[in-house]
Amino acid sequence: MEPLRNAGIAAAEETLDPQDWAGVQALSHEIVDDAIGYLRDVRDRPVWREMPADVKAVFDASLPRSPAPLGQIYRELAATVMAYPMGNVHPRFWGWYMGAGNFTGALGDFLAAVQGSNLGGGNHAAAAMDQQVVNWCKQMLGFPASASGTLVSGGSMANVIALAVARNSKAGVDVREEGVAAIAKPLRFYASDQVHSCHRKAVEVLGLGNRALQRLPTDRDLRIDIAALRRAIAEDRAAGLQPACVIGTAGTVNTGAIDDLQALADLAAGEGLWFHVDGCIGALIAVAPENSRKVAGIERADSVALDPHKWLHAPFEAGCVLVRDAAAHRDSFAVTPEYLERMPRGLAAAPWLHEYGLQTSRGFRALKIWMALREHGIEKFGRLIDQNIAQAGYLSGLIEAEPRLELLAPANINIVCFRFQPGGMAGDALKALNTEIMLRLQEEGTAMLSDTTVRGGHYLRVAINNHRTRRDDLDLLIREIVRIGSELSRQTLAG
Ligand SMILES: Cc1ncc(COP(=O)(O)O)c(C=O)c1O
């Protein structure tokens, strides 16, 4: 018989591995050195800047057919992608709702990719770590060890998975087998009118339709009006609909309002409804010693969506859903095709993690979360959350002290809504002025904030979910807003 080592040697077989390992090693060291400098010096760069035409043109280049040296590719990337980021790692990025990333997490992503495991499941270390991180999330929120959970791309996926389990548990028919058309009475889900837009996508994709999600009015503090919720449930029952699920929000995206989770837990238990908490913004306040009481009751939820890529600053993407009833969770997603049967021994001798969500192949998201948690410990993350909340309080104070600024309401957690008011301006003119201030701040690279509309009023919105922010960054923000706002108002008057 021909010796094994000779088999196929004549064919020109290729691989993606480097031909020159030493060269790749030297370049990789350079990339790591640059990456460290990139984060160390982030404060010295603009938060954001517009891409010039020649940079944009790079992304119009067509499919490469032939090879290029990796060193050259990296230099192109350094001048394009790395030079024109979104900016959320910058200390003065406070737009929408992001995390600021962390270098250890980036190393975790790198090592996860090098190790290359598929977290669809199996009997290997990465899968064990994935489960460990889910268990740590349960511990952070006070969820029982018997609950299940899965790491997903982010909060939107976490919510859709939780709402799918809620739908299946409350439908009264086997939705997986029969479909939503077999549900006897249309299901109703309830949330406040401040609920995140991903819930609309969730009820739509779950076949329930947007109308199934009842948005209820909010109280003075923009928290769901519990009396209105109680009335809506009674009216829906009387109208032949089937109330199924209450979604409480722990930290709304507009203002950071936290629904009364204890009251919602009581109400859901009394009405026999599923109680889901969208904790993408605020669930992790549970680990912050000075503020944890704000999310009391979250541990009573049937399911919670949380986002390690927000207040744990895991590099995107990292979301997590926890479900109290592990069997209901698995029953909503588990399928065992013939090629994925569990074995008594070997690599397939462990639970399949894909049985708890929509993905079959899953990335090793756990490592970046695990490394940062091991490095800093959860107590430091708790302190950083308290720090951001205190910074939002500080910013509210600066705004209140400045007569040309109007504060929507004192910050509840880390989101502050306010606007520049030159005096007596209203409506579209006021919105246009504040929008222009926001765009100038972005274009000048000073700070990134976004805007929103609350109760019909337009506001600038600062969400401080950033472990690099310092109070002097907030001082600078207020100085610059007042400077730009005053200049623009003078120009308007002159014009
Ligand atoms: C309250 C809330 N829910 C859900 C989401 C969606 O999370 P993700 O962007 O991670 O999908 C967000 C995003 O900011 C949010 O603020």
Side-chain angles (χ1 to χ4, degrees):
M1 204 173 92
E2 207 182 348
L4 202 57
R5 66 190 150 81
N6 283 340
I9 222 159
E13 287 172 328
E14 294 194 292
T15 170
L16 295 176
D17 279 338
Q19 300 287 302
D20 168 18
W21 282 103
V24 164
Q25 187 171 28
L27 178 64
S28 303
H29 287 155
E30 189 187 326
I31 292 174
V32 170
D33 286 348
D34 290 353
I36 288 169
Y38 189 85
L39 277 189
R40 185 195 52 218
D41 303 334
V42 62
R43 178 174 282 284
D44 302 335
R45 295 195 299 274
V47 180
W48 176 84
R49 51 193 183 136
E50 183 70 60
M51 284 179 282
D54 60 328
V55 170
K56 283 187 182 158
V58 168
F59 307 111
D60 294 330
S62 54
L63 179 67
R65 302 190 67 88
S66 45
L70 190 55
Q72 179 195 322
I73 295 167
Y74 171 60
R75 262 162 267 292
E76 280 173 23
L77 273 181
T80 55
V81 172
M82 298 306 283
Y84 294 91
M86 182 178 221
N88 50 295
V89 301
H90 194 284
R92 288 190 300 278
F93 188 103
W94 305 301
W96 305 297
Y97 206 94
M98 304 281 157
N102 72 92
F103 187 69
T104 303
L107 289 177
D109 255 354
F110 173 71
L111 290 173
V114 169
Q115 206 239 21
S117 293
N118 186 329
L119 273 287
N123 178 20
H124 56 97
M129 182 178 281
D130 186 279
Q131 286 302 278
Q132 183 179 28
V133 168
V134 169
N135 287 335
W136 287 354
C137 289
K138 293 179 210 166
Q139 288 166 26
M140 289 178 219
L141 269 54
F143 247 57
S146 57
S148 55
T150 186
L151 296 176
V152 290
S153 54
S156 304
M157 278 306 294
N159 280 311
V160 79
I161 286 175
L163 297 194
V165 185
R167 178 198 65 181
N168 294 0
S169 300
K170 298 294 176 186
V173 294
D174 182 350
V175 179
R176 291 190 67 186
E177 195 57 30
E178 309 286 340
V180 286
I183 300 175
K185 298 177 183 173
L187 301 181
R188 282 291 178 265
F189 286 46
Y190 305 88
S192 88
D193 56 15
Q194 300 295 306
V195 72
H196 191 270
S197 54
C198 71
H199 294 274
R200 173 179 178 158
K201 289 194 199 176
V203 289
E204 287 174 0
V205 83
L206 291 173
L208 302 172
N210 180 34
R211 220 178 293 156
L213 180 59
Q214 285 252 31
R215 279 83 162 175
L216 292 153
T218 43
D219 63 16
R220 207 171 45 97
D221 298 324
L222 293 158
R223 309 181 330 155
I224 192 167
D225 178 338
I226 304 280
L229 170 61
R230 222 178 267 290
R231 276 196 305 279
I233 292 170
E235 282 165 19
D236 283 349
R237 280 200 212 286
L241 305 169
Q242 191 181 332
C245 172
V246 176
I247 303 167
T249 303
T252 58
V253 69
N254 270 333
T255 64
I258 298 174
D259 289 334
D260 184 341
L261 303 180
Q262 298 285 21
L264 291 181
D266 290 342
L267 183 147
E271 297 277 356
L273 305 188
W274 186 276
F275 177 34
H276 173 65
V277 174
D278 179 349
C280 289
I281 286 180
L284 289 164
I285 295 175
V287 303
E290 287 171 19
N291 288 283
S292 58
R293 69 196 142 68
K294 294 192 160 114
V295 293
I298 199 166
E299 71 289 349
R300 297 173 63 193
D302 291 305
S303 53
V304 179
L306 64 147
D307 247 353
H309 64 204
K310 293 192 168 81
W311 248 330
L312 292 185
H313 301 291
F316 292 114
E317 304 166 339
C320 179
V321 58
L322 300 178
V323 181
R324 177 175 304 278
D325 181 344
H329 186 181
R330 187 176 176 279
D331 285 350
S332 286
F333 296 102
V335 184
T336 309
E338 59 280 10
Y339 51 86
L340 283 178
E341 275 181 13
R342 203 163 154 179
M343 292 290 149
R345 302 195 322 277
L347 182 51
W352 287 114
L353 303 179
H354 66 78
E355 294 181 338
Y356 293 87
L358 291 164
Q359 290 178 255
T360 308
S361 290
R362 299 175 63 243
F364 187 9
R365 296 190 175 96
L367 183 54
K368 58 190 166 194
I369 305 171
W370 189 94
M371 281 176 67
L373 282 169
R374 279 294 313 275
E375 182 190 16
H376 298 290
I378 194 63
E379 288 177 3
K380 179 159 181 185
F381 284 98
R383 290 196 302 277
L384 285 170
I385 291 170
D386 279 337
Q387 178 172 296
N388 279 168
I389 294 175
Q391 287 167 337
Y394 175 75
L395 179 63
S396 299
L398 293 179
I399 293 164
E400 281 176 317
E402 169 51 62
R404 282 161 293 181
L405 296 177
E406 263 177 22
L407 184 66
L408 171 66
N412 174 42
I413 50 170
N414 60 337
I415 300 178
V416 185
C417 294
F418 65 104
R419 60 190 171 198
F420 182 81
Q421 172 55 272
M425 198 182 266
D428 288 347
L430 189 58
K431 180 173 180 178
L433 172 63
N434 278 277
T435 305
E436 185 59 26
I437 294 172
M438 176 180 79
L439 297 178
R440 296 250 180 131
L441 285 168
Q442 290 176 20
E443 285 166 347
E444 290 170 12
T446 313
M448 169 58 213
L449 37 82
S450 52
D451 63 347
T452 192
T453 297
V454 182
R455 297 220 170 95
H458 174 258
Y459 293 91
L460 300 176
R461 177 180 162 284
V462 169
I464 313 174
N465 197 93
N466 195 319
H467 58 89
R468 299 192 178 95
T469 298
R470 301 191 304 230
R471 287 187 181 209
D472 56 7
D473 291 313
L474 302 168
D475 296 335
L476 173 71
L477 172 71
I478 294 303
R479 274 201 310 277
E480 284 300 293
I481 288 180
V482 171
R483 178 186 66 77
I484 298 170
S486 305
E487 267 173 34
L488 289 170
S489 326
R490 269 198 303 277
Q491 283 165 15
T492 314
L493 280 176

